[in-house]
Amino acid sequence: MSIRKFIFCDICNPQGLRSIEFRRSTRIDERNGRRISDGRAWFEGDVGSALKNGWQVTPEGTHICPACQK
């Protein structure tokens, strides 16, 4: 059994909410892990993988999704 890791955007999802059934399908123009219903973002994986997918980590340790960086 493996442990799943999740990173939550500290701007649009500071409460760390995640609901699989509302996750968008992965398409080129859509953001992985962003919910249709309320726009909260999360990333399933480690910090290194999140960084490769456009996420940012501030010196204070805040995680920011690609959409909130704009």
Side-chain angles (χ1 to χ4, degrees), residues 7-10 47 55-64:
I7 297 170
F8 300 96
C9 180
D10 290 311
V47 174
W55 284 65
Q56 263 185 359
V57 179
T58 66
E60 297 82 25
T62 302
H63 300 101
I64 305 172

Side-chain angles (χ1 to χ4, degrees), residues 30-57:
E30 292 184 351
R31 291 163 283 229
N32 184 28
R34 186 167 289 274
R35 286 177 53 174
I36 294 171
S37 59
D38 60 12
R40 293 183 174 133
W42 73 90
F43 181 83
E44 183 174 348
D46 60 18
V47 174
S49 297
L51 293 173
K52 290 177 186 174
N53 282 281
W55 284 65
Q56 263 185 359
V57 179

Side-chain angles (χ1 to χ4, degrees), residues 1-6 44:
M1 177 179 231
S2 64
I3 297 174
R4 295 171 66 184
K5 295 179 184 180
F6 297 94
E44 183 174 348

